């Protein structure tokens, strides 16, 4: 079965500090794409960062970066210089080349940011 | 341009009634996805469209659920004879193409409550 596991239901970080959210996935496919989405209380899912499995270099978007370990099937998200606006639910997801874009999501990690 | 829009934002209905949820994708996006977000099941895929056809309906939980897309644009998700377990947030997303590498842009969702 294709699954995504986020082992941290809740995380907390102090403003301006760094936090890492964990994600592992399970697929037998070799060509797939990984995503981190953010969902604030407004419910709007927003793409934070994406990674193509064939790329060895870890993706980076401003304060957000990933640690992609393909052999371990691990895809963690690092948020640097955390801001109050980063508080949200974060979902890890993936899709494979032949799934038409269908996303498989983890259960989510709720991140709180303390001032 | 405008993002993905969904209507209604909230819907309260009585058990046994039919409901229709609407999604307006980003103009020009050929792929459209429906997901359901509930407390017990997390985020789960329901169906996706490429143009007006639905290659993958595997996520529809029962034959009470159906969806259509007309003119390669607007999509309607219909739930017949609603049950309390149908209570959830229904999210719609669209992408330029249906390939896994494409980013999906989500709407704000419709929160459905079945009494």
């Amino acid at each position: 079965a294709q699954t995504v596991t986020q082992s941290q239901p809740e995380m907390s970080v102090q403003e301006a500090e760094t936090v890492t959210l964990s994600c592992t996935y399970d697929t037998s496919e070799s060509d797939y794409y990984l995503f981190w989405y953010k969902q604030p209380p407004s419910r709007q899912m927003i793409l934070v960062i994406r990674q193509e499995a064939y790329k060895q270099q870890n993706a980076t978007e401003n304060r957000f970066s990933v640690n992609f370990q393909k052999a371990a099937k691990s895809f963690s998200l690092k948020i640097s210089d955390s801001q109050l606006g980063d508080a949200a639910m974060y979902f890890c997801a993936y899709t494979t080349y032949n799934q038409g874009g269908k996303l498989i999501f983890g259960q989510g990690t709720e991140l709180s940011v303390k001032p | 341009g405008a993002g993905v829009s969904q209507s209604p934002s909230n819907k309260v209905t009585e058990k046994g009634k039919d409901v229709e949820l609407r999604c307006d994708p980003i103009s020009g996006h050929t792929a459209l996805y429906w997901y359901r977000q509930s407390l017990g099941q997390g985020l789960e895929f329901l169906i996706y469209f490429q143009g007006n056809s639905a290659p993958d309906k595997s996520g529809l939980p029962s034959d009470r659920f159906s969806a259509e897309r007309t003119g390669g644009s607007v999509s309607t998700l219909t739930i017949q004879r609603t049950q309390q377990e149908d209570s959830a947030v229904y999210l719609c997303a669209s992408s330029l193409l249906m390939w896994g590498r494409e980013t999906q842009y989500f709407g704000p969702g419709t929160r459905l409550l079945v009494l």
Side-chain angles (χ1 to χ4, degrees):
Chain A
Q2 296 174 327
T3 59
V4 179
T5 302
Q6 293 178 249
S7 59
Q8 307 148 318
E10 298 176 349
M11 290 284 283
S12 180
V13 63
Q14 203 73 33
E15 194 175 7
E17 298 293 307
T18 295
V19 64
T20 298
L21 308 184
S22 301
C23 173
T24 58
Y25 58 93
D26 187 17
T27 179
S28 58
E29 301 286 336
S30 59
D31 191 3
Y32 53 90
Y33 307 86
L34 297 156
F35 306 86
W36 278 98
Y37 277 91
K38 168 185 176 181
Q39 186 180 42
S42 66
R43 294 198 310 243
Q44 187 91 42
M45 296 277 279
I46 303 165
L47 179 67
V48 175
I49 198 166
R50 56 178 289 151
Q51 173 86 39
E52 288 83 0
Y54 65 84
K55 290 186 177 179
Q56 293 187 338
Q57 187 173 7
N58 289 324
T60 299
E61 289 287 342
N62 301 313
R63 298 182 295 106
F64 299 88
S65 62
V66 299
N67 183 4
F68 175 44
Q69 301 290 327
K70 191 171 185 177
K73 296 184 179 177
S74 170
F75 182 60
S76 60
L77 174 70
K78 185 171 83 172
I79 306 173
S80 303
D81 185 26
S82 297
Q83 301 176 359
L84 296 178
D86 295 334
M89 184 73 85
Y90 286 80
F91 292 94
C92 177
Y94 83 94
T95 187
T96 63
Y97 177 80
N98 60 2
Q99 283 191 308
K102 174 172 89 174
L103 289 169
I104 308 298
F105 286 91
Q107 292 295 313
T109 296
E110 185 164 10
L111 178 67
S112 59
V113 181
K114 298 179 180 178
Chain B
V4 178
S5 61
Q6 293 186 245
S7 60
S9 178
N10 295 282
K11 176 72 176 178
V12 181
T13 190
E14 295 180 348
K15 178 182 173 181
K17 296 285 180 73
D18 297 351
V19 295
E20 284 189 353
L21 312 179
R22 176 187 168 107
C23 172
D24 279 275
I26 293 172
S27 178
H29 280 195
T30 64
L32 186 148
Y33 304 81
W34 283 99
Y35 297 90
R36 181 169 72 172
Q37 185 174 22
S38 57
L39 283 176
Q41 301 298 321
L43 266 160
E44 49 182 348
F45 165 82
L46 296 178
I47 186 171
Y48 83 81
F49 291 89
Q50 173 59 31
N52 292 334
S53 63
D56 190 346
K57 305 179 183 180
S58 63
L60 294 178
S62 76
D63 58 8
R64 295 185 296 105
F65 288 71
S66 63
E68 65 175 11
R69 189 179 185 195
T70 56
S73 182
V74 172
S75 177
T76 302
L77 177 69
T78 301
I79 309 174
Q80 296 179 312
R81 305 181 303 281
T82 51
Q83 303 293 313
Q84 289 182 332
E85 61 262 29
D86 300 333
S87 296
V89 174
Y90 290 82
L91 295 169
C92 175
S94 71
S95 63
L96 191 60
L97 298 170
M98 59 168 261
W99 301 115
R101 64 175 177 266
E102 297 290 332
T103 295
Q104 292 182 30
Y105 297 87
F106 282 79
T110 293
R111 183 180 298 277
L112 175 66
L113 178 61
V114 182
L115 301 176

